[in-house]
Amino acid sequence: MSALWLGLGVVLGGLLWAGWSGLSSKRARAVDRRLLATLMHDLRTPLTSLQLTMGELAHHEGYDDDERVTLARAIEEVVALRSLLENLRLVEATASAPTPVERTEVLLHEQVERLVYRYDLMAKARKARLEIGAEPLAVQADPRLVELLLGNLVELALRSGATVVRVSLTLPEERFRLSCEVTDGVLPEPLTVQTFMARRDADRSQTGRSLAVVAVGVICGASGWSFTRPSPTEFVVEGRLD
């Protein structure tokens, strides 16, 4: 398990360097854009497979508590790496030339409910409780972006120090409201791509979290939704029902 952590750390460091270079150097931007696209194409499927396989292993009998926590932490690193790759590509593309989003019908409530399966082990490893509630809702959106949006919200919430993470999808007044609320945690403030680029060298230890927040804003903007942080303990995404 330690070898996996080391390998992921090496790859993660290299990808962060590539992301900073791509966002800060005009001369290298085209090369880094192709690199990120190639990395995502080559790594997204195996990383997803690795995440699912490790998740299945974690549900088997025979592990003691420490082994189960170690496995859950390793899964978290795989999830974080996959999210980082997608966030880097999305933010870099938006900083260069935003591309149109292809939309199809997405059952948003099913995507929200799936968060339990995807993040329950991560929550338990962090001694947090994940609570999910969703009213039935179909929206026109890019399914990949919706998955990335929800993943970023929950990962940011779990890394905030929260003991409870509540994700709810409700339908008030001809709009949908997606809320991600934490107890005993503090969520980061939303950032624009421009603000992120201006601050990117201020605290590189926070780059992953900052990228995730920027990506949420980019996805909501491309989808025609709003993204706010009404309090330090809640993210809210809202959009029209039509």
Side-chain angles (χ1 to χ4, degrees):
M1 195 68 69
S2 59
L4 174 63
W5 279 63
L6 177 60
L8 289 173
V10 171
V11 175
L12 184 60
L15 290 172
L16 281 173
W17 179 87
W20 288 321
S21 299
L23 290 171
S24 62
S25 173
K26 292 182 180 179
R27 186 171 55 187
R29 183 170 293 163
V31 174
D32 287 334
R33 188 182 305 120
R34 289 195 296 271
L35 172 62
L36 285 173
T38 301
L39 284 169
M40 270 308 308
H41 181 270
D42 291 346
L43 292 179
R44 188 174 192 270
T45 297
L47 282 173
T48 301
S49 298
L50 181 58
Q51 175 188 346
L52 292 173
T53 299
M54 294 172 71
E56 290 294 334
L57 287 173
H59 286 93
H60 289 182
E61 300 295 332
Y63 296 109
D64 61 30
D65 290 342
D66 289 340
E67 289 172 333
R68 199 173 297 280
V69 168
T70 300
L71 185 56
R73 290 287 191 181
I75 293 172
E76 181 175 348
E77 292 300 319
V78 172
V79 171
L81 178 56
R82 183 171 177 267
S83 297
L84 175 65
L85 276 168
E86 297 218 36
N87 288 336
L88 276 174
R89 186 177 68 167
L90 179 65
V91 172
E92 197 281 334
T94 302
S96 303
T99 55
V101 174
E102 295 185 7
R103 303 184 184 185
T104 186
E105 185 177 85
V106 176
L107 299 179
L108 188 55
H109 62 286
E110 289 189 356
Q111 293 274 21
V112 171
E113 290 165 352
R114 199 172 298 156
L115 292 171
V116 174
Y117 179 79
R118 292 175 58 197
Y119 290 99
D120 189 53
L121 285 172
M122 186 188 301
K124 289 179 179 177
R126 289 181 170 269
K127 301 186 184 308
R129 188 170 74 253
L130 188 58
E131 299 179 353
I132 304 293
E135 296 183 39
L137 173 65
V139 296
Q140 291 295 315
D142 182 325
R144 181 183 61 84
L145 291 182
V146 170
E147 179 184 342
L148 183 59
L149 166 69
L150 294 173
N152 279 328
L153 290 175
V154 175
E155 289 169 39
L156 284 166
L158 289 174
R159 292 188 174 96
S160 72
T163 56
V164 180
V165 175
R166 298 181 184 88
V167 181
S168 63
L169 175 63
T170 56
L171 311 176
E173 300 179 356
E174 302 302 319
R175 295 177 66 83
F176 75 82
R177 186 178 192 274
L178 175 66
S179 170
C180 181
E181 188 176 7
V182 299
T183 301
D184 300 322
V186 177
L187 299 171
E189 296 182 5
L191 293 173
T192 64
V193 174
Q194 293 73 22
T195 302
F196 169 74
M197 292 174 67
R199 296 182 184 177
R200 65 184 180 274
D201 294 323
D203 185 358
R204 291 192 173 186
S205 67
Q206 297 297 315
T207 296
R209 280 165 53 90
S210 298
L211 265 172
V213 173
V214 174
V216 169
V218 169
I219 293 168
C220 288
S223 304
W225 305 336
S226 67
F227 170 51
T228 59
R229 177 180 175 261
S231 76
T233 60
E234 186 180 23
F235 285 142
V236 173
V237 174
E238 292 183 299
R240 296 178 57 86
L241 295 182
D242 54 6

